Amino acid sequence: WCGHCKKLAPTWEKMAELAEKDGLKNQVAELDCTTNAGKPMCAQFGVSGFPKMKMLFADGDSVGHVEFAGSRTMDQMFSFLKNTDKPDPTKDKVKLQLRKVAPPPSSGPSNVKAIESASGLHALLEKGPLFVKFFAPWCGHCKAMAPTWVQLADLAAQEGKTTQVGELDCTTEAGKPLCGQFGVKGFPKMKMLFADGDKVGVVSYEGLRGLDNMYDFLEKTVKPDPEKEASVKLKAAPAAPLPPPTGPSRVVSIEDTAALTSLLQTAPIMIKFFAPWCGHCKKMAPTWVHLADQTDKAGTKITIAEVDCTTNGGKPLCSKFGVNGFPKIKYVFSDGAGGAGVVSFSGARSLEGFAEFMTKTSADPNAVKEETVQLVVAKFDETNSKALQLDGKLVETAREGDVFVKFYSPSCGHCKKLAPTWSALAGEAEAKKLGVKVVKVDCTAEASKPECKLFGVKAFPTLKYLFRDGDNVGVVKYDKKDRSLKGLQSFLDEASSDPHSHTGREEDVLKSGVRSKKKYVHVTGAGGTPKYSYAVEPLDDDGSAKDAKAEL
C-alpha cells in the first residue's frame, strides 16, 4: 500500500539488473514487512517507515548493517551498493531470532485452557503461569488470531513449558467481571498471569501477534513487575439473582422540582433517573425496589426514589441534574439554601454496590459533593433568605465594607425567581469568608426609596457591587444576563478582587449623598475582551466632560 515503495519499484528492479550485469558481489533484495515472516524481521532491524534501504553483511551468527540515507535515484543507490563493503561499527549488530515451527494440529483435546470463573483461574495458576488471551467471539482480530493461539498452546506443550496458554471470553456472564477487573477494554488483549498469594500478578503483552513474538514472550516472562503493573485481587463472584419483589413498592416517585424540594426537607434521597423504554432501567428495576425495602427495614434515613425523565414534570428536573443517559443514579441532599448537593454513583448496579455507596456518601456528603443544583420553586419566603435585608441603611453599610446588593420589588416575577439563588449566594459568601455582605433592598419600602433613586435603580432586579472609595461609595453594576449561582459567584470573586478598575464601574455616591459627575470609560482589548476602566473628569457644571485618562 506504500506509495513511495510503488514509485521506487521500477528503479529497484533496474538496479538489480545492473548489479548482476556488472558482476557485483553485493546483491539486491526486498522484504515485505506486512507478511507474517516479514513483520518480525523488519521489527528486529528497527524499520518503522517505508521504504527503508539497508546493506546487510554476514557477521558470525549476527547481521551487520548500514542504512542508506541518500536520495532514491539510480546513481546514488547504485554508488552506495557498489562502494559499501563493510558494516557500520557504530550500529548494533542484529542477531536474528529463528522462527518457531508450529507443530501439526493436534487431534486430541485443545491445549488452550478455557477460563470460565475466578476460581477456575486460580486453580490453573496453582499449576504455573498462564498466558491468557482476552477475547470476544464477534471480534474480527480475535478470529484472525485464533489459529495462531492454538499453535502457540501446542508449541508450548510440545516444548514442555510450564507456562500454560489460556483464553477468556469477555462476553459471558462469568467473563465480563473478570475482564473488567483486568482492565480489558478492547480485543484481543494478551496478559501473562501469575499466582501472587490471594492476588494475580500481571504482565501485559504489547508485541506483534506472530507465533515467534508471542512464544518469545512466553519463554522470557518468568515473573511480574509490580512497579510496572499492579497485581489484581479478584472479587468474589456476583451474588445469585434477587427474587422478584413482593408487596407494594417503597420507591418514591418524584414528579417535579417542587416534589423534590419538599422531599429533601425530610432526608437525603438516592434517585434513579430513568426512561420507561430503557432496557438497562428495566433490568435494574427489581434491584431498586429491593434497595428501597432493605433501606426501609433497616431504618436508614435515606429515601429511595425515581424520576421518569419522559414526563412533563420529569424532563426539566432531569435536565437540571445534567442527565443525558439512562439509568443515572445520584445521591441528592439539601444544602440548606434552596439548593441540592449532588454525588453521582459509579459502580456495580447491585444491591451491595448501592448500599456501600450510600453508607460511604452519607457519612460526609459535602466532602464528596460534585456540584450544587439550584432548585427554583414557585414561592420563596424572603424572610427566610440568608441575604441581609437593608432598607434605608445601604450607604452606611457600604462605607463599612463591600456589599453586593439586589434592588428588588416584592411583586416582580424575575425577583421572585432570583430569590433562592440570591439566598444561596449569601450562604456561599459567608462560608467562603469573602468579606463581602450579600444583601437586598426592597425599593417599595419607604425607607429604601431614596437610596434606590440615588443608585439609579429603574428596573428590577438590579444588582450592584458597592465598596468604600475614600469618603465615597464606589459602584460596580452587574449587567450580565446570567443570573445563575455560578455566574453570580464568578462576578463576586472578580469584583471583590479589584472593584476600582472593574469594567462595570459607575459614578460614585459622594459623602454628601449625591452621585458624582465623574464618568467612567470602559476599555476593551482584542476581540472585545474587557480590560479596565478609567475616569473622565467633568469639564462644566452641565455634565459635559473631558477625557482625563486617569487610570485607576
Side-chain angles (χ1 to χ4, degrees), residues 102 112 133 141-154 211:
V112 178
K133 175 187 71 175
H141 293 297
C142 304
K143 293 175 183 177
M145 182 188 150
T148 309
W149 197 251
V150 173
Q151 290 177 341
L152 178 67
D154 291 345
L211 180 61

Side-chain angles (χ1 to χ4, degrees), residues 78-90:
F78 191 77
S79 175
F80 176 81
L81 173 70
K82 188 176 181 179
N83 299 316
T84 308
D85 57 1
K86 60 181 179 180
D88 185 346
T90 65

Side-chain angles (χ1 to χ4, degrees), residues 99-161:
R99 297 194 71 219
K100 292 292 181 183
V101 179
S106 172
S107 57
S110 172
N111 287 306
V112 178
K113 311 295 183 184
I115 302 165
E116 298 178 347
S117 64
S119 59
L121 173 59
H122 278 298
L124 287 171
L125 289 175
E126 288 177 2
K127 300 176 183 178
L130 182 63
F131 194 15
V132 181
K133 175 187 71 175
F134 297 84
F135 76 102
W138 46 258
C139 159
H141 293 297
C142 304
K143 293 175 183 177
M145 182 188 150
T148 309
W149 197 251
V150 173
Q151 290 177 341
L152 178 67
D154 291 345
L155 184 58
Q158 177 181 281
E159 297 288 330
K161 299 296 179 185

Side-chain angles (χ1 to χ4, degrees), residues 59 117 202 527:
D59 189 359
S117 64
V202 183

Side-chain angles (χ1 to χ4, degrees), residues 12 41 47 96 100 151 167 225 231 246 262 290 297 382 391 415 441 524:
W12 197 253
M41 291 186 70
V47 176
L96 295 178
K100 292 292 181 183
Q151 290 177 341
E167 62 182 11
D225 184 350
S231 294
T246 57
S262 175
H290 278 293
K297 289 176 182 177
E382 283 283 5
D391 295 331
C415 303
V441 171
T524 58

Side-chain angles (χ1 to χ4, degrees), residues 44-60:
Q44 291 177 67
F45 282 105
V47 176
S48 57
F50 310 111
K52 274 283 186 292
M53 286 79 81
K54 293 175 182 277
M55 184 71 80
L56 306 183
F57 300 87
D59 189 359

Side-chain angles (χ1 to χ4, degrees), residues 470-491:
D471 291 332
N472 304 329
V473 175
V475 183
V476 177
K477 185 177 181 180
Y478 181 82
D479 56 3
K480 298 178 182 178
K481 292 181 180 180
D482 181 9
R483 291 176 183 160
S484 67
L485 181 60
K486 186 176 180 180
L488 293 171
Q489 285 173 329
S490 177
F491 171 81

